[in-house]
Every structure is written in C-alpha cells, then in structure tokens.
Amino acid sequence: MSASARPRDTAPGKAEDALSALTALVRDDLEACNRVIIERMQSEVALIPQLAAHIVAAGGKRLRPLLTLAAARLCGYRGQRHIGLAACVEFIHTATLLHDDVVDESALRRGQASANALFGNKPSVLVGDFLFSRAFQLMTADGSLEVLRILSDASAIIAEGEVLQLMTQNDTSTTEAQYLQVIEGKTAALFAAATEVGAVVAEQPPAAQARLRAFGMALGVAFQLVDDALDYSADQAALGKTVGDDFREGKITLPVLLAFARGDEAERAFWRRTLEEREQTEADLAEAQALMRRHGALADTIARARLYGDQAQAALAPFPDGPEKRALSAVVEFCIERAR
Amino acid sequence: MSASARPRDTAPGKAEDALSALTALVRDDLEACNRVIIERMQSEVALIPQLAAHIVAAGGKRLRPLLTLAAARLCGYRGQRHIGLAACVEFIHTATLLHDDVVDESALRRGQASANALFGNKPSVLVGDFLFSRAFQLMTADGSLEVLRILSDASAIIAEGEVLQLMTQNDTSTTEAQYLQVIEGKTAALFAAATEVGAVVAEQPPAAQARLRAFGMALGVAFQLVDDALDYSADQAALGKTVGDDFREGKITLPVLLAFARGDEAERAFWRRTLEEREQTEADLAEAQALMRRHGALADTIARARLYGDQAQAALAPFPDGPEKRALSAVVEFCIERAR
C-alpha cells in the first residue's frame, strides 16, 4: 500500500493538538513502549535493526500503541503489561507497512524514502517477517491467550483486507461493501485490536471490552475514509503528503466509487481509462479532482467518516469521564479534522 | 530462496522409502493434518485459497509436519493436539516459501511454476502473511504458551537466517560459521521446533524435549547441507530438480566455501567473478563443478552432513525402540542418501 493508502500519522496541523494531548497524557508509558520497541528490534544480524530503525524508530506518531496505552488507562489499569503489548501492536503495524511498500512498489513512506527503495524488496519482506515474529514472541512472554487471539485474528484479517484490496484494484465495479471490507481489514482491524487489548489487560467485563473494540473499529474506518479523501484533496505543502498516489495506482476508494456512480457515461469512461486501463495523462488527476468536486464525492466521504466518528464517540460514552476519555474523544476529532 | 536453497521434499529415489515408511506409520494423523490445512487455508477472499492451494495442497511430502506427528507418537502421545500443531508447522513453512520465492524472484518451486510467477509478487507476500497469521491463530486455539514460545522463537530465527543469507550472498569472504548460522536459521530451526512441539504435547520431561529438539536441529542442518551439495551434483532427470540455481544466484554455500578455501589464486578469481560480480558464461557451472570435484568439496559437504546425521541419531538413541523411532532414524538416512 502506498504512503497514501494507509493513514499516515505524521500530518501536522491544528488537529494535531488532540494527538499531542493524548501523547502527553501517557508520556511515560509511551517512552517505556519506545524503549521496548528499540530493545526488541535488535538482532545480531545487523541489517535487521538498521532497516527496522528506518521505519520503526524514525517515523510515525505511534497512534496505534497510543490507543492501547490510553485504553488501558481509561479502564483504570495501573500495571505495566500494556507497554509491551502496545509495542506488539506497533510491530505488527510496522511489519504490514514494510510488506505494503513492497506490494505497492512505493518509493516514499511518511515523506521519506521507503525501506524497500533504500534497502531493496528482499530485506523489507524478511524484516517484516522478523518484526511480525517479534510481536508474537512479546505476546507469548506476556502470556495472555486472549491477547494472542485478538492480535492473531487481527493479523489474519489485515492480510485478507490487503489481498481483497489487490483484487479490487483497477476494478471500477467494486462495491461499497467490498471497499468497506478492505478498509475494515487493512486499517480498522488493528485499531480495534489495539483498543480491545487495553481493555483486556485491565480485566474489563466483556461489555466494556466490546465497547472499546467497537471504538477502535469505528475510529479506524473514519481514519481510512479521511485518508482516502485526502489522497485527492490534501494541501501537499501543509500535510507533507503526496496527492494522487491512489489515483496513479488505480486504487478504488470511496471518493472514486461515489464519483463513478454519480457520473455520466463519459465520466465513467474517464474512470475506466485512468483506473482500470491505467492510461493517464498529466491533466487527468486534476480532472479526477474536478469530477469529485462536481459530485460532492470528497465531502460525502468525509460525511461518512463523521458517521463512523459518531459511532466511536458513542462507544466511548459509557466510560467514566476523565482525561483519558477526553483525549480519546479528541483523537476521533483529530482523525476527521485532518481533512480540513 | 530458490527451489534449490531450501530442502525440497519431492526428490524421488530409493531413499524415499524411508519417508514413505514414516508417512505410512502416521497416515491417519497426516490425513487429519491435511484436512486441517485445507480447512484453515480457506478465506472468503477467493485469491487466498487459490494461491494457498497452489503451494500448500499441491506440493511437498509434508516432512516438517510428519516430524511433529512422529515425535509426538514416539513420546507415547495418544491425543489429537499434535495434528493442529503439525498444520501450524506446515503453515509457517509455506509462508516462508512464499516469501522466499519473492525474495529470490524464483520462477520455479518444486519443479512447478512458483506462486509469485503465477500470481505475482504481491499476493505471494500477502498470502504468506495470511498463512503465518493462521498458524498463530491455530496455536492460540491449542492454548499452549510453551508451543507458542517455541514456534514464535523459530519464526524470528528463520527470518534472521534469511536476512543473514542475503547479507552473505555474493560474498566469498563469508565464514563457515556464518554459513552454519544461515542454515540453522533458515532450515534447521523449524525442524527443531517441529520435533520439540511433538515432545511438548506429549508432556515429556525437559530432557526428552531437549533431545527431540537436538534431533530436529541436527537433522535440519544435515538436510540443508545435502541440499546445498545437490545443487551442484544432482541428477537432474532423476531428482526433478534444477542444478546450478545457487550458483546462478551467487549463494555462498559450503561446497563453494570449501572449493574457495582450497583453490589457488586463479580459482578464487573464478569464484569472485562468478559469485561476487555475477559475471557468468555458459561454461562456468561446469567449471564450478569440476573445481568442487577436484577439491572434494561435495564429498566433504556430504561428510559434514553425515556428522550431523550421527548427532541426530545419538539424540534419538535414548528413546524406547519401536516403529516411530525406527522411522525417524530412517528419515535421517533418507536426508543423507538423497545425495547418492
């Protein structure tokens, strides 16, 4: 998946304040988590920490481990297990990023040269496998079969979502249901697992665990919807992201599906030529953006994200008020406000 | 890794009788294991079972799961857990094969078109991830943290071995110690885990568990040593394998290291040109084989394999006599006799 296709956590802007607040709230936990990440990505095979450092240590705001840390604290957890498990979540995320970049032949990740561009595809595949294995070693050391179930299930669903994305790529007959299955798999499943694990270590009753899982799932879908809109609308200078990656790769995202469904025959021919046959000229991205504006495709994608954001807030509502709840609620807004 | 670089289980020949005997001994278990494999490689994402069937269902003699099944029975186990765990071992093996073929850009696997050649690199990476995740789902359902530890450790060591192999590729200054670390990682670690898991389900004391682990490790090293010799010496028609894959890829294996160390300066220049600079002509493979014969490099590689085979037999010796012990002992011979 391209840098555009999975939510990047690096977009700066005013909405970032929400993420900064969450980060500040669990700063000690996050620093401990980062220490586990650095320690556990070591290997006597030197290329592994070199490549892992490029993607693990350098990039990202650690959104997914932050969710695990904050969810555990929200549930009143006062132990240390959530720290190692947050590192597991980040390792799984990092492994999928490495494999995505190979799959997408991406040259950029988080605005920097991707690992596969710098080190080659081969080490990227294998170091991804290593980090994935490390995640399961860490979980095994933690010793909770419930956590192992949640994160092994999430890993399988992520892979299924990625394969489904490949199958729907360049196919304008993709349905919205299939698109939703793709983004629930490739993005939201790990958000859901990240928050659920926080409830599990805090030994919450099943209802609270299910609510935190639902929170993560809805948040993840909202996040990916906004990301797919940003791929056609981002202020490249402000967000430090490339616009048009999905278009160039022929990814079928909701903005495309809405514009395609609402377009006339000539417009559908445009989408088929550019996304299915991948015959694109310099002017085509601007034309795609114009068609999306004409049909309100980006605005409606963001509106859809808001609905999922509301679901996330509703799942959070029954938890007792406090700084963690407010910070998690603000993260939902952060995910959607990125689109401004 | 090429078809040549990891032991292929499909080589026919007289030594195969040993494997047939083992297969016959645990036939019901193996059939049950195959049913688990078929059932658990399913997904509603159609490309996953399609691609998985190509590699999981079609190929191989299931040597690694056979080791788990036979080891459990050797230890007197009478339950059913070893069946699902043997499937885990095969899933991990299959996932690494899919990723190896991407890494090596292999066109062939077990004499047939490789999955990456047929389906493309992208699905091969992602279906590998899916099968790897499935393995951990199955282990989690089994519920033994000891098994999870053994197989997550093995997975990390496999990845390390593969990365180290990449780092030593095309480097004639690779040491024998590094070569041994590569093959212990990429091949023997999973053999060791496969046999150790059999002891664990049978609730053997630590000493017996360690012996079965040592058995698998020595067997795996012997197997890979023979494989590396066969890559320069196999009877292509009889074994159905390509000779010279390792040479063409510039893999640094023991036959190369021995011939290099024993060669004069002109010979070392030959190895550097063909394996480091990868400037090869049609006649170079025959020249490489001639140099290996001159220096006894293949015979000494097989002799080394015999030493590891003896270690495997010694590890097996304390177990009570019976059909399982005899079959496992014969498998050691099978691994070495392939070189005849």
Side-chain angles (χ1 to χ4, degrees):
Chain A
M1 168 180 319
S2 71
S4 72
R6 190 177 298 234
R8 68 201 58 63
D9 318 337
T10 46
K14 68 168 189 176
E16 183 153 334
D17 294 344
L19 208 53
S20 302
L22 178 60
T23 304
L25 190 66
V26 294
R27 183 175 307 281
D28 291 349
D29 288 352
L30 184 62
E31 285 174 3
C33 175
N34 282 334
R35 284 194 294 273
V36 173
I37 287 171
I38 300 295
E39 182 189 316
R40 298 296 292 162
M41 75 187 197
Q42 297 308 314
S43 164
E44 63 181 57
V45 180
L47 185 55
I48 290 176
Q50 282 168 24
L51 193 151
H54 179 75
I55 187 158
V56 172
K61 292 212 180 321
R62 305 262 196 261
L63 177 53
R64 294 156 191 79
L66 275 171
L67 292 175
T68 300
L69 297 173
R73 295 302 192 195
L74 173 74
C75 297
Y77 182 63
R78 292 289 167 262
Q80 299 294 308
R81 286 177 54 206
H82 63 326
I83 290 167
L85 295 176
C88 291
V89 167
E90 185 69 0
F91 277 151
I92 291 174
H93 174 56
T94 307
T96 65
L97 291 186
L98 282 169
H99 288 182
D100 286 348
D101 284 342
V102 170
V103 164
D104 279 349
E105 293 145 16
S106 302
L108 289 175
R109 158 73 57 194
R110 293 169 179 156
Q112 302 190 333
S114 64
N116 60 312
L118 277 184
F119 296 91
N121 278 341
K122 301 176 184 192
S124 293
V125 170
L126 299 174
V127 175
D129 290 348
F130 175 80
L131 294 175
F132 200 58
S133 303
R134 270 285 189 263
F136 280 95
Q137 287 180 301
L138 269 168
M139 280 179 253
T140 301
D142 173 75
S144 162
L145 287 167
E146 178 75 350
V147 167
L148 278 154
R149 183 190 60 74
I150 291 166
L151 284 170
S152 62
D153 286 355
S155 299
I157 291 168
I158 291 168
E160 285 180 310
E162 300 269 10
V163 175
L164 187 61
Q165 176 171 260
L166 271 187
M167 292 172 68
T168 59
Q169 197 156 337
N170 313 119
D171 180 359
T172 57
S173 72
T174 301
T175 64
E176 277 194 44
Q178 286 175 312
Y179 165 77
L180 199 64
Q181 193 185 342
V182 167
I183 69 173
E184 282 177 353
K186 74 173 188 175
T187 303
L190 191 56
F191 278 65
T195 47
E196 187 177 9
V197 163
V200 170
V201 295
E203 297 178 346
Q204 291 290 290
Q209 187 177 326
R211 274 200 302 273
L212 269 176
R213 176 174 183 79
F215 169 80
M217 182 64 79
L219 175 62
V221 172
F223 201 31
Q224 186 64 57
L225 283 165
V226 169
D227 211 66
D228 289 347
L230 283 172
D231 208 79
Y232 287 93
S233 65
D235 179 338
Q236 196 152 334
L239 288 184
K241 64 164 284 183
T242 314
V243 169
D245 280 344
D246 289 351
F247 183 72
R248 279 182 287 273
E249 291 170 20
K251 285 230 166 78
I252 305 300
T253 59
L254 189 60
V256 168
L257 290 177
L258 294 177
F260 184 84
R262 296 167 183 180
D264 59 22
E265 206 38 61
E267 290 175 25
R268 294 187 189 198
F270 166 83
W271 292 114
R272 288 200 191 93
R273 170 176 63 80
T274 53
L275 299 181
E276 291 192 353
E277 293 153 37
R278 296 186 70 174
E279 291 175 14
Q280 299 185 5
T281 67
E282 280 292 316
D284 283 339
L285 177 59
E287 171 67 8
Q289 291 171 310
L291 292 177
M292 286 178 178
R293 275 194 300 275
R294 181 183 310 164
H295 295 296
L298 295 175
D300 283 359
T301 297
I302 301 301
R304 202 78 57 100
R306 280 190 202 290
L307 290 178
Y308 282 95
D310 292 346
Q311 282 182 27
Q313 301 288 16
L316 202 57
F319 287 93
D321 195 28
E324 289 87 3
K325 182 176 173 180
R326 286 192 295 275
L328 284 169
S329 175
V331 164
V332 178
E333 295 312 307
F334 153 74
C335 290
I336 294 165
E337 292 306 313
R338 293 187 307 150
R340 286 276 168 87
Chain B
M1 171 178 323
S2 72
S4 73
R6 191 178 297 236
R8 68 202 59 64
D9 317 338
T10 45
K14 67 167 189 174
E16 182 153 332
D17 294 344
L19 207 54
S20 303
L22 179 60
T23 304
L25 189 66
V26 294
R27 183 175 308 283
D28 292 348
D29 288 352
L30 185 61
E31 285 174 4
C33 175
N34 281 333
R35 284 193 295 273
V36 173
I37 288 171
I38 300 294
E39 182 188 314
R40 298 296 292 163
M41 74 185 199
Q42 297 308 314
S43 164
E44 62 180 58
V45 179
L47 185 56
I48 291 176
Q50 282 167 24
L51 193 152
H54 178 75
I55 188 157
V56 172
K61 294 213 180 317
R62 304 263 196 263
L63 176 54
R64 293 157 192 79
L66 275 171
L67 291 175
T68 300
L69 298 173
R73 295 303 192 194
L74 173 74
C75 298
Y77 182 62
R78 292 291 169 259
Q80 299 294 307
R81 286 176 55 206
H82 64 324
I83 291 168
L85 295 176
C88 291
V89 167
E90 184 69 0
F91 276 151
I92 291 174
H93 174 57
T94 307
T96 64
L97 290 186
L98 282 169
H99 288 183
D100 286 348
D101 283 343
V102 170
V103 164
D104 279 349
E105 293 145 15
S106 301
L108 290 175
R109 159 69 60 193
R110 292 169 179 156
Q112 303 190 334
S114 64
N116 59 313
L118 275 184
F119 296 91
N121 278 341
K122 301 176 184 190
S124 292
V125 171
L126 298 174
V127 174
D129 291 347
F130 175 80
L131 294 176
F132 200 58
S133 303
R134 270 286 190 263
F136 281 94
Q137 287 180 302
L138 268 168
M139 280 179 253
T140 302
D142 174 74
S144 162
L145 286 167
E146 178 74 350
V147 167
L148 278 155
R149 182 191 60 73
I150 292 165
L151 284 170
S152 62
D153 285 356
S155 299
I157 291 167
I158 291 168
E160 286 180 311
E162 300 270 9
V163 175
L164 187 61
Q165 176 171 259
L166 272 186
M167 292 171 69
T168 59
Q169 198 156 337
N170 313 118
D171 181 359
T172 56
S173 72
T174 301
T175 64
E176 278 193 44
Q178 287 175 313
Y179 164 78
L180 199 64
Q181 194 185 343
V182 167
I183 69 174
E184 283 178 351
K186 75 173 188 176
T187 303
L190 191 57
F191 278 64
T195 47
E196 187 177 9
V197 163
V200 170
V201 296
E203 297 178 346
Q204 290 290 290
Q209 187 176 326
R211 273 201 301 274
L212 269 175
R213 176 174 182 77
F215 169 80
M217 182 64 78
L219 175 63
V221 171
F223 202 30
Q224 185 64 57
L225 283 165
V226 169
D227 212 67
D228 289 347
L230 283 172
D231 208 79
Y232 287 93
S233 65
D235 178 338
Q236 194 153 336
L239 288 183
K241 65 165 284 187
T242 313
V243 169
D245 281 345
D246 290 350
F247 183 71
R248 279 182 287 274
E249 292 170 20
K251 285 229 168 79
I252 306 300
T253 58
L254 188 59
V256 169
L257 290 177
L258 294 178
F260 184 84
R262 297 167 183 181
D264 60 21
E265 207 37 63
E267 291 174 23
R268 294 188 191 198
F270 166 83
W271 293 114
R272 288 201 191 90
R273 169 175 63 78
T274 52
L275 299 180
E276 292 192 353
E277 294 153 36
R278 295 185 71 175
E279 289 175 15
Q280 300 186 4
T281 66
E282 282 291 317
D284 283 339
L285 177 59
E287 171 69 7
Q289 292 171 311
L291 292 177
M292 286 178 179
R293 273 193 302 273
R294 181 182 311 163
H295 295 296
L298 296 175
D300 283 358
T301 298
I302 302 301
R304 202 79 56 101
R306 280 190 201 288
L307 290 178
Y308 283 95
D310 292 345
Q311 283 182 26
Q313 302 287 16
L316 201 57
F319 288 94
D321 194 29
E324 288 87 3
K325 182 176 172 180
R326 287 192 294 274
L328 285 168
S329 176
V331 163
V332 177
E333 295 312 307
F334 154 75
C335 291
I336 293 165
E337 292 306 313
R338 293 186 307 149
R340 288 274 167 91

